[in-house]
Amino acid sequence: MKVPRRSILKNTVAAGGGLLLGFPLNGASRNGAAFAPNAFIRIAPDGRITFLIGRTEFGQGVFTSLSMMIAEELEVDLAKVEVRNAPADPAYDHPSFGKQMTGGSQSVMGSWQPMRMAGAVAREMLVRAAAARWKAAPESCRAERGVVLHTQSGRRLSYGELASAAARQPVPREVALKPASEWKVIGRPMPRVDGKASVEGRTEFGIDVTAPGMLTALIARPPAFGARVRAFRAAKALAVAWVRAVVPVDAGVAVVASGFWSASRGLEALEVDWTDSPLKDLTSDGQRAQYAALARTPGKLARNIGDADAALRSAARVIEAEYEVPYVAHAMMEPLNCVADVRADRCDVWTGTQYQSHDRESAALAAGLPLDRVQLHTLQCGTGFGRRWAMTSYFVVEAVQLSKAVKAPVKVVWTREDDIRGGWYRPRYYHSMAGALDDQGALLAWRQRIAGQPIFVGSTEEQNYAKDGIDGGHTGGSNIAYPAPNQRVEIHMVMEGPPVQTMRAVGGTHNGFVTECFFDEMAYAAGRDPVEWRLELLKGRPRLRAALALAAEKAGWGRALPRGRGLGAAAVDYHTCIAEIAEVSVSDDGVVKVHRIVAGVDAGTVINPSGLRAQVEGGILFALSPTLLSALTVDRGRTLESNFHDFRVISI
């Protein structure tokens, strides 16, 4: 990605000692007492170095990877740096999205240039400050492990000693980034900067937040999607000890109490009458029949190469298959939560969110305050998977509405049952596949028809993701890597159903699965070894081909296996080239057991090999849940599953 230097400086650098884009950070003064050359770095006179990371950490290791980029150019020991969540501010807007958010697998790719530039600018200002003190040429000085050295005399000054003087240096117009040959941090395995605190229980997650006078709220939410409150009776709930208020909000009716236990007891006593759900006739079986019927008919054209329909009509052999994937809940370890403190002249919000910019704007609207009177404090997240990127900011708005109503800080907590039954799922999809082989068994045509709910159409992200009315959740990852001369992808967008949103790789979570399964069907029909045929067709995709070849070699593809056991292959290029070989057995009574999965990965320039390994392992484990265990059932507009006893996920 090419990022103009002027744009980087505009967005990340503020001239003037101690200024951090117009606001002080954690005591950083405006008079040069601390060195804060840009939005990401603060160096105190006592030598303390702090990095502020504008992307949300929810287990993916982004705090470590982005800090490594800064540390590389700043020439500091990462183990001596304190890493914190950045506040919600335009200074931390994602360079690709123009908003402060974490998503789209873009944190590292989108921050690669800005993070390194931030470190390099700070390093150059420190070097120039030292050179000025020594009355030496800057070229005779170098930064190394938190100090600036004068190469001829051996004199040295620590970054802390230089902080005030560096703050008075002009921001350099040109700054050189280190070549890869000089990297000391990037590409080396690093422990997570937040790992020790998490293991010791010192990490503050959103659900841990407390504030003086804070109350806790639980909300009676609709028993079926789209139902509304017709009436409620609060007397029994208010009679529960320590229940302070019962308040109607957009989401339902809230019970506000001194703590979670009292709120939950009050919620049990609350009496609510609900309207019928507009989805009262929706069942999983009926929806499946609807989707299947749609997927067997032509849909809206999303991708077209050649003439797949004509090739299918004239092919020597046609292979057809249908696949479906269910609704899946994100099932985060830490359910949604938010603390809001609304006062007459300001509003503070504490939460784990992936979308700081939008949530801050939504909080301001709900509080009835100008944006500059609202501050959103990002907390660590007990995983997210896309759920904390909410286009309606619903979990933030709930807390703001309640704090405003009761005139006290309020923490809203979603229970596990709220989370599983509350919607915003990975959509259900149905795929109808057709492929054609010529008389020599060569791949001639590929057609894919997809039916399911859109996740972006009609949203604030529509222009980014849904050009021409085609939803990215449907098509993402559906472009097969194998060069069929005739390809066609069609979609049916069904607007009715539970609320849905992104989950991890969005469209890739179902399209990668379907396209690779169907390619195997084609390979067996052609009498070809699935890996050998993939390797043959991937000659024009050398990175993906090499990943597959490596995975196949390490997994022992082609070796003899016991009865009932087999190897399966998949290769997908979706931001990262990754191929996997799974060794699986099926018992005589149909029990599936996964014995081993080998992954070959080409992720480009790897910042932290330890982080990459963790991401791949985590992705494999996450995928096993919806493949083998996890599914949601809808009956008369309501979700039947409610917790981990019936919505099962893979466990240790």
Side-chain angles (χ1 to χ4, degrees):
M1 177 184 294
K2 293 184 178 180
V3 182
R5 178 183 60 84
R6 187 174 300 277
S7 173
I8 295 170
L9 294 177
K10 174 183 175 183
N11 287 317
T12 65
V13 176
L19 286 182
L20 190 69
L21 292 171
F23 58 86
L25 166 69
N26 301 321
S29 71
R30 298 175 182 271
N31 61 9
F35 178 42
N38 50 58
F40 308 101
I41 301 169
R42 180 197 169 194
I43 301 176
D46 62 5
R48 287 180 295 116
I49 300 175
T50 304
F51 292 168
L52 282 97
I53 303 301
R55 306 283 85 80
T56 302
E57 175 64 72
F58 35 74
Q60 80 280 38
V62 70
F63 262 29
T64 305
S65 296
L66 300 194
S67 296
M68 288 173 67
M69 298 179 196
I70 302 174
E72 182 66 76
E73 297 292 342
L74 185 57
E75 287 283 353
V76 295
D77 183 349
L78 189 58
K80 298 180 180 179
V81 174
E82 181 181 2
V83 182
R84 298 182 182 175
N85 283 294
D89 191 274
Y92 303 100
D93 284 356
H94 194 286
S96 297
F97 301 132
K99 294 280 189 179
Q100 187 178 351
M101 62 173 292
T102 304
S105 303
Q106 290 290 320
S107 290
V108 169
M109 288 188 287
S111 302
W112 171 242
Q113 194 80 357
M115 294 295 98
R116 295 174 64 208
M117 184 67 76
V121 165
R123 180 191 71 220
E124 183 67 16
M125 294 171 73
L126 288 159
V127 166
R128 291 185 183 185
R133 183 174 298 186
W134 293 325
K135 296 181 172 55
E139 295 77 17
S140 67
C141 306
R142 75 175 191 276
E144 183 179 296
R145 298 184 67 83
V147 300
V148 177
L149 302 168
H150 186 241
T151 54
Q152 296 168 337
S153 66
R155 288 177 290 182
R156 62 174 56 205
L157 288 167
S158 71
Y159 285 0
E161 293 173 304
L162 291 167
S164 296
R168 296 191 292 271
Q169 286 288 318
V171 177
R173 290 187 171 275
E174 301 290 341
V175 62
L177 299 177
K178 293 168 64 176
S181 59
E182 296 181 10
W183 288 347
K184 304 170 187 174
V185 181
I186 293 174
R188 297 192 178 188
M190 292 283 177
R192 288 182 50 148
V193 297
D194 56 333
K196 189 172 188 290
S198 294
V199 169
E200 294 177 349
R202 292 185 288 108
T203 300
E204 186 178 34
F205 295 90
I207 206 164
D208 298 324
V209 171
T210 60
M214 186 187 79
L215 302 173
T216 299
L218 297 178
I219 298 176
R221 302 180 185 278
F225 297 111
R228 310 292 295 178
V229 175
R230 180 184 288 119
F232 68 93
R233 293 168 294 282
K236 293 180 180 179
L238 290 169
V240 174
W242 306 111
V243 169
R244 304 293 182 85
V246 174
V247 183
V249 291
D250 292 349
V253 182
V255 175
V256 185
S258 60
F260 182 90
W261 180 255
S262 299
S264 64
R265 299 285 75 77
L267 192 65
E268 290 177 357
L270 181 67
E271 298 174 315
V272 184
D273 298 331
W274 300 92
T275 65
D276 286 340
S277 165
L279 301 179
K280 60 183 174 57
D281 296 324
L282 181 66
T283 65
S284 288
D285 289 344
Q287 188 182 57
R288 182 183 188 277
Q290 176 195 14
Y291 281 20
L294 286 171
R296 293 163 188 163
T297 61
K300 186 164 188 174
L301 185 62
R303 184 177 300 114
N304 190 41
I305 300 172
D307 191 338
D309 288 340
L312 286 163
R313 287 192 297 269
S314 62
R317 186 167 185 187
V318 174
I319 299 90
E320 295 179 305
E322 295 182 347
Y323 302 87
E324 58 180 315
V325 296
Y327 286 114
V328 179
H330 297 74
M332 304 170 294
M333 288 187 288
E334 176 199 14
L336 291 171
N337 59 84
C338 182
V339 174
D341 184 7
V342 181
R343 304 178 188 181
D345 60 347
R346 80 174 273 118
C347 171
D348 283 278
V349 173
W350 294 265
T351 189
T353 174
Q354 295 177 239
Y355 204 177
Q356 288 89 341
S357 295
H358 188 63
D359 288 348
R360 184 184 178 207
E361 293 165 1
S362 298
L365 187 64
L369 291 170
L371 188 62
D372 63 0
R373 294 289 182 177
V374 177
Q375 184 54 275
L376 187 147
H377 310 272
T378 304
L379 279 300
Q380 303 287 83
C381 302
T383 65
F385 312 131
R387 178 67 185 272
R388 300 184 196 272
W389 182 81
M391 290 178 284
T392 60
S393 301
Y394 49 89
F395 61 97
V396 173
V397 170
E398 293 168 359
V400 172
Q401 289 177 337
L402 286 168
S403 177
K404 186 177 180 180
V406 302
K407 296 180 172 52
V410 173
K411 176 193 289 186
V412 174
V413 178
W414 285 54
T415 65
R416 181 67 61 194
E417 288 76 14
D418 290 338
D419 180 63
I420 299 296
R421 287 179 166 166
W424 305 101
Y425 306 133
R426 194 281 302 273
R428 179 181 193 167
Y429 290 104
Y430 199 98
H431 296 251
S432 178
M433 311 293 292
L437 303 172
D438 66 14
D439 55 3
Q440 301 299 310
L443 181 59
L444 182 63
W446 179 284
R447 188 182 69 197
Q448 181 175 4
R449 290 172 174 161
I450 312 169
Q453 282 176 260
I455 55 177
F456 292 121
V457 171
S459 75
T460 56
E461 304 299 320
E462 180 172 357
Q463 291 183 348
N464 292 336
Y465 294 96
K467 296 178 181 178
D468 302 319
I470 296 172
D471 181 73
H474 283 71
T475 59
S478 63
N479 51 326
I480 63 167
Y482 316 108
N486 303 285
Q487 298 181 34
R488 188 177 182 90
V489 178
E490 301 168 359
I491 65 172
H492 294 274
M493 288 189 289
V494 183
M495 307 308 292
E496 182 183 71
V500 294
Q501 70 179 81
T502 57
M503 176 180 280
R504 297 197 70 150
V506 194
T509 67
H510 61 105
N511 278 308
F513 165 70
V514 168
T515 55
E516 289 303 287
C517 285
F518 187 62
F519 184 86
D520 274 7
E521 299 285 353
M522 299 280 286
Y524 292 125
R528 300 295 304 272
D529 178 277
V531 167
E532 290 179 1
W533 201 25
R534 282 180 169 89
L535 293 173
E536 180 182 308
L537 293 173
L538 288 174
K539 290 179 179 177
R541 308 284 289 273
R543 293 177 59 201
L544 186 58
R545 188 176 191 272
L548 175 59
L550 179 62
E553 175 194 346
K554 297 297 184 182
W557 183 268
R559 60 187 165 90
L561 294 166
R563 178 181 176 274
R565 186 177 297 201
L567 297 175
V572 174
D573 183 354
Y574 195 60
H575 294 312
T576 288
C577 294
I578 183 164
E580 295 182 4
I581 307 294
E583 185 171 341
V584 181
S585 66
V586 183
S587 67
D588 291 338
D589 55 355
V591 176
V592 175
K593 181 176 181 179
V594 179
H595 297 268
R596 184 179 185 223
I597 294 180
V598 177
V601 184
D602 183 346
T605 299
V606 176
I607 308 302
N608 185 6
S610 296
L612 175 62
R613 176 182 290 274
Q615 280 279 59
V616 173
E617 291 174 348
I620 289 170
L621 290 171
F622 191 97
L624 286 173
S625 290
T627 302
L628 299 175
L629 298 173
S630 306
L632 294 170
T633 309
V634 179
D635 180 50
R636 291 172 292 177
R638 68 184 66 197
T639 300
L640 298 184
E641 291 76 19
S642 63
N643 209 312
F644 289 133
H645 69 287
D646 50 11
F647 183 79
R648 297 177 60 206
V649 298
I650 231 59
S651 63
I652 293 174

